[in-house]
Amino acid sequence: MDKTSLYAYILFSGNDDFPIDVVTEKLGVQPTKTSKVGERVIPNHPINLLVHSCTDWCFEIGTKETLDTEEVLRPLLEVFQSKTDTINQLKEELNLDVRLELVMLIYDGYSPGLVIYPEFSKFAAEINAFLDVDMYVFSFNEPDE
């Protein structure tokens, strides 16, 4: 049975083809995934014509079965909070947008509380990041009678 779980990530994106390796080097963090503008969304698929419209550098905190947003936001903060100046410098030099994402996978009505702690919101403000929360609600299972 699937249970409610959360994950979070930080995403650097730009319409231009920015050098992903420069972001990795300056942050001192290996991305969990990247994509380049013009790359196929599904590589090696014979009929897939969809391509990425921008270049992305992403670092994701893996999915955790929890109802507490802090369990996925805190690890993201621990990695990037000390890199505020570097993030702002990269944004300016490479014309990047930065998004902080929280994704909720909700099963059987077990919905996490949506709490953004002050330390995290301060970090988001310091890097002028978009804060995006996505909720995916899956069907309820009726109890057997």
Side-chain angles (χ1 to χ4, degrees), residues 12-106:
F12 294 79
S13 62
N15 291 331
D16 295 330
D17 189 13
F18 68 86
I20 289 173
D21 56 331
V22 169
V23 175
T24 302
E25 182 182 318
K26 289 199 177 197
L27 290 173
V29 175
Q30 286 297 315
T32 53
K33 60 183 152 176
T34 61
S35 61
K36 299 286 262 172
V37 65
E39 283 181 345
R40 287 178 153 192
V41 172
I42 303 172
N44 303 322
H45 191 279
I47 57 173
N48 180 14
L49 300 177
L50 295 175
V51 295
H52 290 281
S53 60
C54 59
T55 296
D56 293 326
W57 184 103
C58 178
F59 181 86
E60 181 178 309
I61 299 300
T63 304
K64 292 187 181 200
E65 188 178 298
T66 183
L67 297 177
D68 184 1
T69 58
E70 182 78 349
E71 287 192 38
V72 293
L73 295 179
R74 171 71 50 196
L76 198 61
L77 188 64
E78 288 171 355
V79 173
F80 291 97
Q81 187 175 28
S82 65
K83 302 174 186 315
T84 301
D85 291 338
T86 304
I87 291 169
N88 287 327
Q89 193 174 38
L90 285 166
K91 285 178 63 177
E92 187 175 321
E93 288 174 7
L94 301 175
N95 194 29
L96 301 177
D97 289 323
V98 178
R99 290 184 2 213
L100 295 165
E101 303 270 348
L102 172 62
V103 181
M104 301 177 177
L105 308 168
I106 301 169

